[in-house]
Amino acid sequence: MDFRSAEEHLLLQQSLRDFLAGEFPPAKLRALWAGEAQRGGALWAALAELGVCGMLIAEEHGGLGLDLVAAANMLEEAGRAALAEPLASAIVAAPLLAELGGALAEEWLPQIAAGRAVVAVGHPLFAAVEDADCAQLLLLPGAQFALHAVPRAAAQCESLPSSDPSRFLAKVSFDSDAHPPLAEGARARALWDAVLLRGALTCAAQAIGVCEQLLQMSVAYTSERRQFGKPVGSFQALKHKLADVKLKLEYARPLVQRAAHSLAQQAEHPQCGVHISMAKLLACEAAEFAARQALQCHGAIGYTWEQDLHIWMRRAWSLAQSWGSARFHLSRVREPLLGGAFPIGPATTFATGETT
Amino acid sequence: MELRYTDEQRAFRREAREWLEANVPSGPLPSFDTAEGARLHREWEAKLNAGGWAMVPWPVEFGGRGADLFEWLIFEEEYYRAGAPKRINQNGIFLLGPTIMEFGTKQQKARFLPKMASSEEVWAQGWSEPNAGSDMANIQATALRDGGHYIVNGQKTWASRGAFADWLFGMFRSDPDSERHRGLSFILVPLNLPGITVRPIPQLDGLPGFAEVFFDDVRVPAENRLGEEGAGWRVAMATAGFERGLMLRSPARFQHTAQRLVSLCRAHRELVGEALQDEVARCWIGAEAYALETYRTVSKLLAGGKIGSESSLNKVFWSELDLRMHELALQILGECGPASENAAAAEWLDGYLFALSGPIYAGTNEIQRNIIAERILGMPR
């Protein structure tokens, strides 16, 4: 039993953090928002150079061969930097391609790892596809949960509005006769289930980084801003708001780490889906709560377009809506919990049939 | 990251489970805040101690098993799983014990720890005074040196377990010219000394869970001081850390309550609306989050890390979770009709009354939030 991140994962996380702090200041994100820059460009290539795009891809395909526990650490940094590159899509797509195998995997996995291609993944439960705008290949649901691989050029994408300009959503349609399914029936359903869990995990891990960033910005601002002759952060009304953010953050974090661990070793964790849903729920709620408190702590300056705070507020909102809402994930905990689907109580937290 | 127990940890769990299943009293004991309940809880503690289970993380020479903190968590899980009695000597074993382990002399450890483990000596807390509650540095009770003794005068209040305890620990002002947190000493006082008056105070449930304690020229041997003279604040902060953190409130307690709440909700599911069911699920998630965070903390501690102000996060989290769980249980019972009609309802109501004290004792949650903001987040004072 050792519930700590591996030393080498923390080093990778730190190097990504340092890289993004240097290479991806808010000004670059604003340029992207203004249409003056594109995603999947030089920054994406530099991330590929660091191994980030192919972290889950096997070394034989040019990746780092890491697992989801490491990926969760890296995604925290994507959240902290409000990275707008299609990193989450790479995390969702790579294991799906590997599972599908064959020529498709041989062709696309090395390209994802090298930062030369983006593969976007839809889901039968959700109408919108993220990152279809900059993808070269789309993995999409068809009739009866069938799974289709469709080149971006062969699909019709209609952009959808988003509260977060960093989040690119599209409604995608394609000709299923021209692109016959790669998987159908029970196999396809199992693949979509795994996609959903990975997608939710990417949101949860990023939300932790977003929450930390919002908290850090709020502490810094309230320590500096003076009213009544002292820093506003010396007033208990604001201290208690930010203490509450810290509380939500600290108790969401281990849920996310455990969920990543369970998903990485799915075969041993029959409650993996519950672990993912509770992590997604609490991490995204922590980030949304942080966004609300951060805005209040900043006052009017935080309510301006010019102040960078809303970059992370919007991330918090969009992550909460991606890969299943709070209500969706809460129901995925509530139903098996109240239905008695798994043992609960003391001595069951890490139980995989070993304690009884 | 390794989230499986070792073979040794599993064997330890089996051993604890077997002993508890064979020895835990079948029905609940009367409250330890009654004379009869206190006697029965002391009997249970003696049995626990005879089995070697009274305080598993302590060294064997002091009545423990030399277990590590993971084994401590495992033991606690088994203890709550078995429905074993509450710990009458929690002020001793969970708060003062670890403090003596850290600050006590060799003689003090040998003198106090074994009798604490066996609950032959039950301890009361003596922190608060009428004018030193949240503002603990405003302590006025004095302990002035007179040769080999301290002469103690003043008043302590809200002394938990004071009514039936044998000893009291607390902070007293040993330097009469000192102010605030300087000049305080941490002193261990037998409650049977001449000049001590204990006046039990009934709590919300009507039972004397705490007491006022008056000191009138009480002569306490100087060897009963824990830590250096005048360094009482530092010693007390360590005790408070144990109180807020994983010693006093290990996660099994709340997982046990969450399990009862889920069972209650399941049993009345057709009467309980989805909104309430969602809240129950959230409580269960909260209890799991607390358990996971505790395992993470213990992993850090065993790797040589330290726990400091983080214990304030624990205290706010578990106390508010506990209260929420009891509120929900009463709401569910309310959906089912008059709540006073059955034993389960009475147990939840008792639990609710106790849970209401959680955000107050061990430093109010407002004080904890100040600590979180100032010492963890670094916000200005």
Side-chain angles (χ1 to χ4, degrees), chain A residues 1-4 236 239-240 244 251 285 334-335 337-338 344 347 349 354-355, chain B residues 2 4-5 10 13 17 255 259 266 269 274 278 282 299 303 314 369-370 374 380:
Chain A
M1 183 64 67
D2 186 1
F3 199 162
R4 287 179 303 152
Q236 283 192 349
K239 280 182 178 163
H240 290 193
D244 284 337
Y251 289 93
E285 285 185 349
R334 184 192 65 226
E335 289 308 310
L337 174 70
L338 296 181
I344 60 169
T349 301
E354 65 184 23
T355 55
Chain B
E2 171 56 77
R4 280 171 303 193
Y5 296 106
R10 280 178 225 174
R13 183 187 293 284
R17 183 170 294 188
Q255 292 180 294
Q259 182 182 17
R266 275 179 196 154
R269 207 171 169 187
E274 196 174 288
D278 279 347
R282 282 178 180 281
S299 300
N314 290 339
R369 285 185 163 88
N370 289 351
E374 289 166 11

mmCIF file of all heavy atoms in Angstrom, chain A residues 1-4 236 239-240 244 251 285 334-335 337-338 344 347 349 354-355, chain B residues 2 4-5 10 13 17 255 259 266 269 274 278 282 299 303 314 369-370 374 380:
data_model
loop_
_atom_site.group_PDB
_atom_site.id
_atom_site.type_symbol
_atom_site.label_atom_id
_atom_site.label_comp_id
_atom_site.label_asym_id
_atom_site.label_seq_id
_atom_site.Cartn_x
_atom_site.Cartn_y
_atom_site.Cartn_z
ATOM 1 N N MET A 1 0.852 -1.199 0.000
ATOM 2 C CA MET A 1 0.000 0.000 0.000
ATOM 3 C C MET A 1 0.885 1.247 0.000
ATOM 4 O O MET A 1 1.704 1.424 0.893
ATOM 5 C CB MET A 1 -0.882 -0.049 1.258
ATOM 6 C CG MET A 1 -1.862 1.075 1.390
ATOM 7 S SD MET A 1 -3.130 1.147 0.126
ATOM 8 C CE MET A 1 -4.089 -0.348 0.458
ATOM 9 N N ASP A 2 0.768 2.049 -1.020
ATOM 10 C CA ASP A 2 1.521 3.309 -1.080
ATOM 11 C C ASP A 2 0.793 4.256 -2.032
ATOM 12 O O ASP A 2 0.912 4.155 -3.245
ATOM 13 C CB ASP A 2 2.955 3.070 -1.557
ATOM 14 C CG ASP A 2 3.792 4.352 -1.482
ATOM 15 O OD1 ASP A 2 3.253 5.389 -1.045
ATOM 16 O OD2 ASP A 2 4.971 4.313 -1.857
ATOM 17 N N PHE A 3 0.020 5.170 -1.446
ATOM 18 C CA PHE A 3 -0.842 6.048 -2.246
ATOM 19 C C PHE A 3 -0.085 7.342 -2.563
ATOM 20 O O PHE A 3 -0.483 8.422 -2.144
ATOM 21 C CB PHE A 3 -2.126 6.331 -1.455
ATOM 22 C CG PHE A 3 -3.281 6.816 -2.291
ATOM 23 C CD1 PHE A 3 -4.572 6.753 -1.791
ATOM 24 C CD2 PHE A 3 -3.109 7.328 -3.557
ATOM 25 C CE1 PHE A 3 -5.656 7.192 -2.531
ATOM 26 C CE2 PHE A 3 -4.176 7.771 -4.313
ATOM 27 C CZ PHE A 3 -5.452 7.705 -3.798
ATOM 28 N N ARG A 4 1.041 7.206 -3.252
ATOM 29 C CA ARG A 4 1.777 8.390 -3.676
ATOM 30 C C ARG A 4 2.068 8.266 -5.163
ATOM 31 O O ARG A 4 2.243 7.163 -5.675
ATOM 32 C CB ARG A 4 3.113 8.498 -2.928
ATOM 33 C CG ARG A 4 2.975 8.915 -1.468
ATOM 34 C CD ARG A 4 4.344 8.958 -0.826
ATOM 35 N NE ARG A 4 4.998 7.666 -0.955
ATOM 36 C CZ ARG A 4 6.323 7.493 -0.998
ATOM 37 N NH1 ARG A 4 7.132 8.520 -0.927
ATOM 38 N NH2 ARG A 4 6.831 6.283 -1.113
ATOM 39 N N GLN A 236 -11.907 37.770 6.988
ATOM 40 C CA GLN A 236 -12.328 36.374 7.125
ATOM 41 C C GLN A 236 -13.340 35.956 6.059
ATOM 42 O O GLN A 236 -13.372 34.801 5.650
ATOM 43 C CB GLN A 236 -12.925 36.131 8.508
ATOM 44 C CG GLN A 236 -11.864 36.018 9.585
ATOM 45 C CD GLN A 236 -12.416 35.492 10.880
ATOM 46 O OE1 GLN A 236 -13.620 35.390 11.057
ATOM 47 N NE2 GLN A 236 -11.534 35.156 11.800
ATOM 48 N N LYS A 239 -11.225 34.781 3.349
ATOM 49 C CA LYS A 239 -10.426 33.621 3.783
ATOM 50 C C LYS A 239 -11.269 32.349 3.780
ATOM 51 O O LYS A 239 -10.829 31.300 3.338
ATOM 52 C CB LYS A 239 -9.891 33.839 5.197
ATOM 53 C CG LYS A 239 -8.674 34.717 5.250
ATOM 54 C CD LYS A 239 -8.169 34.856 6.666
ATOM 55 C CE LYS A 239 -6.920 35.718 6.642
ATOM 56 N NZ LYS A 239 -6.587 36.238 7.955
ATOM 57 N N HIS A 240 -12.481 32.474 4.309
ATOM 58 C CA HIS A 240 -13.299 31.277 4.440
ATOM 59 C C HIS A 240 -13.776 30.772 3.080
ATOM 60 O O HIS A 240 -13.897 29.566 2.866
ATOM 61 C CB HIS A 240 -14.451 31.529 5.396
ATOM 62 C CG HIS A 240 -13.977 31.661 6.823
ATOM 63 N ND1 HIS A 240 -14.830 31.636 7.902
ATOM 64 C CD2 HIS A 240 -12.731 31.805 7.339
ATOM 65 C CE1 HIS A 240 -14.115 31.766 9.021
ATOM 66 N NE2 HIS A 240 -12.851 31.879 8.693
ATOM 67 N N ASP A 244 -12.676 27.068 1.727
ATOM 68 C CA ASP A 244 -13.643 26.083 1.226
ATOM 69 C C ASP A 244 -13.233 25.535 -0.147
ATOM 70 O O ASP A 244 -13.444 24.359 -0.436
ATOM 71 C CB ASP A 244 -15.045 26.701 1.157
ATOM 72 C CG ASP A 244 -15.686 26.801 2.541
ATOM 73 O OD1 ASP A 244 -15.265 26.032 3.438
ATOM 74 O OD2 ASP A 244 -16.589 27.631 2.719
ATOM 75 N N TYR A 251 -10.018 17.083 -1.242
ATOM 76 C CA TYR A 251 -10.724 15.805 -1.143
ATOM 77 C C TYR A 251 -11.167 15.285 -2.501
ATOM 78 O O TYR A 251 -11.597 14.138 -2.611
ATOM 79 C CB TYR A 251 -11.870 15.897 -0.134
ATOM 80 C CG TYR A 251 -11.301 15.990 1.260
ATOM 81 C CD1 TYR A 251 -11.066 17.221 1.869
ATOM 82 C CD2 TYR A 251 -10.890 14.848 1.920
ATOM 83 C CE1 TYR A 251 -10.464 17.313 3.110
ATOM 84 C CE2 TYR A 251 -10.292 14.918 3.164
ATOM 85 C CZ TYR A 251 -10.085 16.157 3.753
ATOM 86 O OH TYR A 251 -9.470 16.224 4.974
ATOM 87 N N GLU A 285 -16.871 19.736 -9.807
ATOM 88 C CA GLU A 285 -17.577 20.634 -8.883
ATOM 89 C C GLU A 285 -16.587 21.522 -8.127
ATOM 90 O O GLU A 285 -16.878 22.693 -7.856
ATOM 91 C CB GLU A 285 -18.447 19.834 -7.913
ATOM 92 C CG GLU A 285 -19.697 19.327 -8.596
ATOM 93 C CD GLU A 285 -20.667 18.616 -7.663
ATOM 94 O OE1 GLU A 285 -20.294 18.319 -6.506
ATOM 95 O OE2 GLU A 285 -21.787 18.358 -8.099
ATOM 96 N N ARG A 334 -25.052 6.749 -7.650
ATOM 97 C CA ARG A 334 -26.237 6.512 -6.824
ATOM 98 C C ARG A 334 -26.896 5.156 -7.115
ATOM 99 O O ARG A 334 -27.219 4.420 -6.183
ATOM 100 C CB ARG A 334 -27.247 7.627 -7.083
ATOM 101 C CG ARG A 334 -28.500 7.569 -6.225
ATOM 102 C CD ARG A 334 -29.555 8.534 -6.753
ATOM 103 N NE ARG A 334 -30.011 8.121 -8.069
ATOM 104 C CZ ARG A 334 -30.164 8.947 -9.114
ATOM 105 N NH1 ARG A 334 -29.917 10.227 -9.002
ATOM 106 N NH2 ARG A 334 -30.565 8.471 -10.274
ATOM 107 N N GLU A 335 -27.055 4.828 -8.402
ATOM 108 C CA GLU A 335 -27.815 3.622 -8.725
ATOM 109 C C GLU A 335 -27.139 2.339 -8.234
ATOM 110 O O GLU A 335 -27.758 1.565 -7.522
ATOM 111 C CB GLU A 335 -28.137 3.583 -10.222
ATOM 112 C CG GLU A 335 -29.174 4.632 -10.629
ATOM 113 C CD GLU A 335 -30.437 4.574 -9.772
ATOM 114 O OE1 GLU A 335 -31.012 3.481 -9.606
ATOM 115 O OE2 GLU A 335 -30.834 5.631 -9.241
ATOM 116 N N LEU A 337 -24.857 2.139 -5.947
ATOM 117 C CA LEU A 337 -24.690 2.252 -4.491
ATOM 118 C C LEU A 337 -25.975 1.834 -3.779
ATOM 119 O O LEU A 337 -25.962 0.993 -2.881
ATOM 120 C CB LEU A 337 -24.325 3.699 -4.122
ATOM 121 C CG LEU A 337 -24.255 4.007 -2.630
ATOM 122 C CD1 LEU A 337 -23.036 3.324 -2.000
ATOM 123 C CD2 LEU A 337 -24.180 5.517 -2.391
ATOM 124 N N LEU A 338 -27.094 2.445 -4.177
ATOM 125 C CA LEU A 338 -28.350 2.139 -3.493
ATOM 126 C C LEU A 338 -28.903 0.791 -3.941
ATOM 127 O O LEU A 338 -29.715 0.185 -3.243
ATOM 128 C CB LEU A 338 -29.363 3.261 -3.723
ATOM 129 C CG LEU A 338 -28.956 4.620 -3.130
ATOM 130 C CD1 LEU A 338 -30.024 5.673 -3.390
ATOM 131 C CD2 LEU A 338 -28.678 4.513 -1.640
ATOM 132 N N ILE A 344 -19.972 -1.933 0.797
ATOM 133 C CA ILE A 344 -19.543 -0.635 1.309
ATOM 134 C C ILE A 344 -19.248 -0.745 2.797
ATOM 135 O O ILE A 344 -19.521 -1.771 3.412
ATOM 136 C CB ILE A 344 -20.598 0.470 1.060
ATOM 137 C CG1 ILE A 344 -21.914 0.113 1.760
ATOM 138 C CG2 ILE A 344 -20.814 0.691 -0.426
ATOM 139 C CD1 ILE A 344 -22.912 1.272 1.793
ATOM 140 N N ALA A 347 -13.310 -1.001 5.653
ATOM 141 C CA ALA A 347 -12.588 -2.175 5.138
ATOM 142 C C ALA A 347 -12.978 -2.536 3.712
ATOM 143 O O ALA A 347 -12.637 -3.610 3.236
ATOM 144 C CB ALA A 347 -12.761 -3.403 6.046
ATOM 145 N N THR A 349 -12.769 0.017 1.044
ATOM 146 C CA THR A 349 -12.284 1.024 0.094
ATOM 147 C C THR A 349 -11.342 0.442 -0.954
ATOM 148 O O THR A 349 -11.469 0.739 -2.136
ATOM 149 C CB THR A 349 -11.558 2.152 0.852
ATOM 150 O OG1 THR A 349 -12.489 2.720 1.756
ATOM 151 C CG2 THR A 349 -11.078 3.237 -0.097
ATOM 152 N N GLU A 354 -10.338 -9.199 -1.429
ATOM 153 C CA GLU A 354 -9.230 -9.753 -0.660
ATOM 154 C C GLU A 354 -9.446 -9.719 0.846
ATOM 155 O O GLU A 354 -8.782 -10.422 1.577
ATOM 156 C CB GLU A 354 -7.950 -8.995 -0.976
ATOM 157 C CG GLU A 354 -7.991 -7.550 -0.536
ATOM 158 C CD GLU A 354 -6.733 -6.807 -0.944
ATOM 159 O OE1 GLU A 354 -6.078 -7.258 -1.887
ATOM 160 O OE2 GLU A 354 -6.423 -5.821 -0.289
ATOM 161 N N THR A 355 -10.383 -8.891 1.295
ATOM 162 C CA THR A 355 -10.477 -8.723 2.750
ATOM 163 C C THR A 355 -11.543 -9.618 3.370
ATOM 164 O O THR A 355 -11.664 -9.677 4.573
ATOM 165 C CB THR A 355 -10.809 -7.269 3.103
ATOM 166 O OG1 THR A 355 -12.000 -6.904 2.414
ATOM 167 C CG2 THR A 355 -9.687 -6.343 2.708
ATOM 168 N N GLU B 2 0.734 1.970 -5.265
ATOM 169 C CA GLU B 2 0.352 0.571 -5.045
ATOM 170 C C GLU B 2 -0.845 0.574 -4.098
ATOM 171 O O GLU B 2 -0.710 0.939 -2.936
ATOM 172 C CB GLU B 2 1.537 -0.189 -4.427
ATOM 173 C CG GLU B 2 1.217 -1.585 -3.960
ATOM 174 C CD GLU B 2 0.634 -2.459 -5.063
ATOM 175 O OE1 GLU B 2 1.420 -2.935 -5.921
ATOM 176 O OE2 GLU B 2 -0.599 -2.670 -5.085
ATOM 177 N N ARG B 4 -2.796 -1.966 -3.165
ATOM 178 C CA ARG B 4 -3.177 -3.266 -2.602
ATOM 179 C C ARG B 4 -2.478 -3.430 -1.266
ATOM 180 O O ARG B 4 -1.372 -2.930 -1.065
ATOM 181 C CB ARG B 4 -2.750 -4.406 -3.540
ATOM 182 C CG ARG B 4 -3.715 -4.610 -4.705
ATOM 183 C CD ARG B 4 -3.134 -5.591 -5.695
ATOM 184 N NE ARG B 4 -1.839 -5.104 -6.164
ATOM 185 C CZ ARG B 4 -1.190 -5.611 -7.212
ATOM 186 N NH1 ARG B 4 -1.695 -6.617 -7.877
ATOM 187 N NH2 ARG B 4 -0.024 -5.106 -7.586
ATOM 188 N N TYR B 5 -3.143 -4.144 -0.363
ATOM 189 C CA TYR B 5 -2.512 -4.431 0.924
ATOM 190 C C TYR B 5 -1.451 -5.507 0.747
ATOM 191 O O TYR B 5 -1.571 -6.374 -0.123
ATOM 192 C CB TYR B 5 -3.564 -4.906 1.926
ATOM 193 C CG TYR B 5 -4.608 -3.860 2.266
ATOM 194 C CD1 TYR B 5 -5.901 -3.943 1.767
ATOM 195 C CD2 TYR B 5 -4.288 -2.783 3.084
ATOM 196 C CE1 TYR B 5 -6.856 -2.991 2.075
ATOM 197 C CE2 TYR B 5 -5.233 -1.827 3.399
ATOM 198 C CZ TYR B 5 -6.518 -1.932 2.895
ATOM 199 O OH TYR B 5 -7.447 -0.983 3.204
ATOM 200 N N ARG B 10 -2.792 -7.937 5.293
ATOM 201 C CA ARG B 10 -4.001 -8.786 5.245
ATOM 202 C C ARG B 10 -4.051 -9.723 6.445
ATOM 203 O O ARG B 10 -5.112 -9.952 7.019
ATOM 204 C CB ARG B 10 -4.015 -9.607 3.956
ATOM 205 C CG ARG B 10 -4.504 -8.787 2.785
ATOM 206 C CD ARG B 10 -4.450 -9.606 1.520
ATOM 207 N NE ARG B 10 -3.873 -8.767 0.485
ATOM 208 C CZ ARG B 10 -3.566 -9.157 -0.727
ATOM 209 N NH1 ARG B 10 -3.759 -10.419 -1.071
ATOM 210 N NH2 ARG B 10 -3.086 -8.320 -1.594
ATOM 211 N N ARG B 13 -5.142 -7.797 9.398
ATOM 212 C CA ARG B 13 -6.587 -7.559 9.358
ATOM 213 C C ARG B 13 -7.353 -8.802 9.822
ATOM 214 O O ARG B 13 -8.281 -8.706 10.630
ATOM 215 C CB ARG B 13 -7.027 -7.180 7.937
ATOM 216 C CG ARG B 13 -8.520 -6.860 7.847
ATOM 217 C CD ARG B 13 -9.002 -6.658 6.421
ATOM 218 N NE ARG B 13 -8.468 -5.472 5.769
ATOM 219 C CZ ARG B 13 -8.870 -4.220 6.007
ATOM 220 N NH1 ARG B 13 -9.796 -3.984 6.917
ATOM 221 N NH2 ARG B 13 -8.343 -3.213 5.353
ATOM 222 N N ARG B 17 -9.775 -8.959 12.982
ATOM 223 C CA ARG B 17 -11.187 -9.303 12.754
ATOM 224 C C ARG B 17 -11.602 -10.484 13.628
ATOM 225 O O ARG B 17 -12.660 -10.455 14.261
ATOM 226 C CB ARG B 17 -11.411 -9.626 11.269
ATOM 227 C CG ARG B 17 -12.869 -9.910 10.946
ATOM 228 C CD ARG B 17 -13.126 -9.979 9.460
ATOM 229 N NE ARG B 17 -12.915 -8.684 8.796
ATOM 230 C CZ ARG B 17 -13.223 -8.441 7.527
ATOM 231 N NH1 ARG B 17 -13.740 -9.400 6.774
ATOM 232 N NH2 ARG B 17 -13.014 -7.260 6.999
ATOM 233 N N GLN B 255 -17.097 6.072 7.464
ATOM 234 C CA GLN B 255 -17.529 5.052 6.500
ATOM 235 C C GLN B 255 -18.615 4.179 7.111
ATOM 236 O O GLN B 255 -19.552 3.762 6.426
ATOM 237 C CB GLN B 255 -16.339 4.189 6.079
ATOM 238 C CG GLN B 255 -15.325 4.967 5.262
ATOM 239 C CD GLN B 255 -14.168 4.095 4.848
ATOM 240 O OE1 GLN B 255 -13.384 3.628 5.670
ATOM 241 N NE2 GLN B 255 -14.049 3.856 3.551
ATOM 242 N N GLN B 259 -22.325 3.930 5.687
ATOM 243 C CA GLN B 259 -22.918 2.621 5.391
ATOM 244 C C GLN B 259 -24.311 2.506 6.022
ATOM 245 O O GLN B 259 -25.259 2.044 5.386
ATOM 246 C CB GLN B 259 -21.991 1.528 5.946
ATOM 247 C CG GLN B 259 -22.453 0.115 5.659
ATOM 248 C CD GLN B 259 -21.515 -0.911 6.285
ATOM 249 O OE1 GLN B 259 -20.717 -0.592 7.180
ATOM 250 N NE2 GLN B 259 -21.599 -2.134 5.809
ATOM 251 N N ARG B 266 -31.769 2.728 1.463
ATOM 252 C CA ARG B 266 -32.223 1.559 0.696
ATOM 253 C C ARG B 266 -33.529 1.013 1.251
ATOM 254 O O ARG B 266 -34.447 0.683 0.512
ATOM 255 C CB ARG B 266 -31.179 0.439 0.807
ATOM 256 C CG ARG B 266 -30.060 0.510 -0.174
ATOM 257 C CD ARG B 266 -29.112 -0.668 0.096
ATOM 258 N NE ARG B 266 -27.838 -0.451 -0.568
ATOM 259 C CZ ARG B 266 -26.692 -1.003 -0.144
ATOM 260 N NH1 ARG B 266 -26.663 -1.770 0.933
ATOM 261 N NH2 ARG B 266 -25.582 -0.770 -0.814
ATOM 262 N N ARG B 269 -36.448 3.265 0.198
ATOM 263 C CA ARG B 269 -36.180 3.928 -1.076
ATOM 264 C C ARG B 269 -37.446 4.419 -1.770
ATOM 265 O O ARG B 269 -37.440 5.466 -2.417
ATOM 266 C CB ARG B 269 -35.396 2.997 -2.007
ATOM 267 C CG ARG B 269 -34.567 3.803 -2.976
ATOM 268 C CD ARG B 269 -33.601 2.988 -3.778
ATOM 269 N NE ARG B 269 -33.080 3.850 -4.848
ATOM 270 C CZ ARG B 269 -32.320 3.438 -5.818
ATOM 271 N NH1 ARG B 269 -31.974 2.170 -5.890
ATOM 272 N NH2 ARG B 269 -31.896 4.277 -6.749
ATOM 273 N N GLU B 274 -35.609 11.377 -5.218
ATOM 274 C CA GLU B 274 -34.301 11.252 -5.844
ATOM 275 C C GLU B 274 -33.314 12.295 -5.314
ATOM 276 O O GLU B 274 -32.126 12.022 -5.189
ATOM 277 C CB GLU B 274 -34.444 11.364 -7.366
ATOM 278 C CG GLU B 274 -33.214 10.864 -8.086
ATOM 279 C CD GLU B 274 -33.402 10.823 -9.604
ATOM 280 O OE1 GLU B 274 -34.143 9.937 -10.053
ATOM 281 O OE2 GLU B 274 -32.815 11.671 -10.303
ATOM 282 N N ASP B 278 -29.699 11.404 -3.914
ATOM 283 C CA ASP B 278 -28.461 12.006 -4.419
ATOM 284 C C ASP B 278 -27.584 12.484 -3.264
ATOM 285 O O ASP B 278 -26.366 12.319 -3.274
ATOM 286 C CB ASP B 278 -28.772 13.204 -5.325
ATOM 287 C CG ASP B 278 -29.151 12.771 -6.732
ATOM 288 O OD1 ASP B 278 -28.936 11.591 -7.076
ATOM 289 O OD2 ASP B 278 -29.675 13.616 -7.483
ATOM 290 N N ARG B 282 -23.834 11.409 -2.210
ATOM 291 C CA ARG B 282 -22.752 12.378 -2.004
ATOM 292 C C ARG B 282 -22.049 12.157 -0.664
ATOM 293 O O ARG B 282 -20.829 12.320 -0.556
ATOM 294 C CB ARG B 282 -23.292 13.804 -2.057
ATOM 295 C CG ARG B 282 -23.548 14.304 -3.465
ATOM 296 C CD ARG B 282 -24.125 15.712 -3.425
ATOM 297 N NE ARG B 282 -24.370 16.216 -4.755
ATOM 298 C CZ ARG B 282 -23.418 16.710 -5.554
ATOM 299 N NH1 ARG B 282 -22.169 16.785 -5.121
ATOM 300 N NH2 ARG B 282 -23.711 17.124 -6.751
ATOM 301 N N SER B 299 0.593 7.446 3.610
ATOM 302 C CA SER B 299 1.672 7.091 2.672
ATOM 303 C C SER B 299 2.796 8.117 2.751
ATOM 304 O O SER B 299 3.977 7.776 2.764
ATOM 305 C CB SER B 299 1.144 7.028 1.228
ATOM 306 O OG SER B 299 0.130 6.072 1.121
ATOM 307 N N ALA B 303 6.675 7.678 4.443
ATOM 308 C CA ALA B 303 7.834 7.949 3.591
ATOM 309 C C ALA B 303 8.681 9.086 4.170
ATOM 310 O O ALA B 303 9.568 9.601 3.501
ATOM 311 C CB ALA B 303 7.383 8.278 2.178
ATOM 312 N N ASN B 314 -8.750 18.213 7.541
ATOM 313 C CA ASN B 314 -9.441 17.009 8.019
ATOM 314 C C ASN B 314 -10.601 17.360 8.917
ATOM 315 O O ASN B 314 -11.709 16.865 8.762
ATOM 316 C CB ASN B 314 -8.505 16.135 8.867
ATOM 317 C CG ASN B 314 -7.423 15.481 8.055
ATOM 318 O OD1 ASN B 314 -7.554 15.343 6.845
ATOM 319 N ND2 ASN B 314 -6.361 15.092 8.709
ATOM 320 N N ARG B 369 -10.815 27.253 9.439
ATOM 321 C CA ARG B 369 -10.777 27.900 8.114
ATOM 322 C C ARG B 369 -9.765 29.057 8.108
ATOM 323 O O ARG B 369 -9.119 29.300 7.093
ATOM 324 C CB ARG B 369 -12.180 28.376 7.710
ATOM 325 C CG ARG B 369 -13.084 27.236 7.267
ATOM 326 C CD ARG B 369 -14.445 27.723 6.758
ATOM 327 N NE ARG B 369 -15.121 26.694 5.994
ATOM 328 C CZ ARG B 369 -15.912 25.758 6.497
ATOM 329 N NH1 ARG B 369 -16.157 25.718 7.806
ATOM 330 N NH2 ARG B 369 -16.477 24.847 5.723
ATOM 331 N N ASN B 370 -9.639 29.735 9.229
ATOM 332 C CA ASN B 370 -8.586 30.760 9.314
ATOM 333 C C ASN B 370 -7.209 30.122 9.156
ATOM 334 O O ASN B 370 -6.339 30.655 8.464
ATOM 335 C CB ASN B 370 -8.635 31.487 10.665
ATOM 336 C CG ASN B 370 -9.837 32.405 10.794
ATOM 337 O OD1 ASN B 370 -10.556 32.637 9.825
ATOM 338 N ND2 ASN B 370 -10.065 32.909 11.995
ATOM 339 N N GLU B 374 -4.614 31.011 6.294
ATOM 340 C CA GLU B 374 -3.368 31.710 6.627
ATOM 341 C C GLU B 374 -2.145 30.807 6.510
ATOM 342 O O GLU B 374 -1.116 31.203 5.963
ATOM 343 C CB GLU B 374 -3.454 32.279 8.047
ATOM 344 C CG GLU B 374 -4.430 33.454 8.124
ATOM 345 C CD GLU B 374 -4.794 33.830 9.557
ATOM 346 O OE1 GLU B 374 -4.136 33.331 10.495
ATOM 347 O OE2 GLU B 374 -5.753 34.611 9.726
ATOM 348 N N PRO B 380 -2.940 36.826 3.912
ATOM 349 C CA PRO B 380 -2.438 37.760 4.945
ATOM 350 C C PRO B 380 -3.269 37.686 6.236
ATOM 351 O O PRO B 380 -4.470 37.458 6.188
ATOM 352 C CB PRO B 380 -2.569 39.132 4.289
ATOM 353 C CG PRO B 380 -3.507 38.957 3.151
ATOM 354 C CD PRO B 380 -3.437 37.544 2.725
#
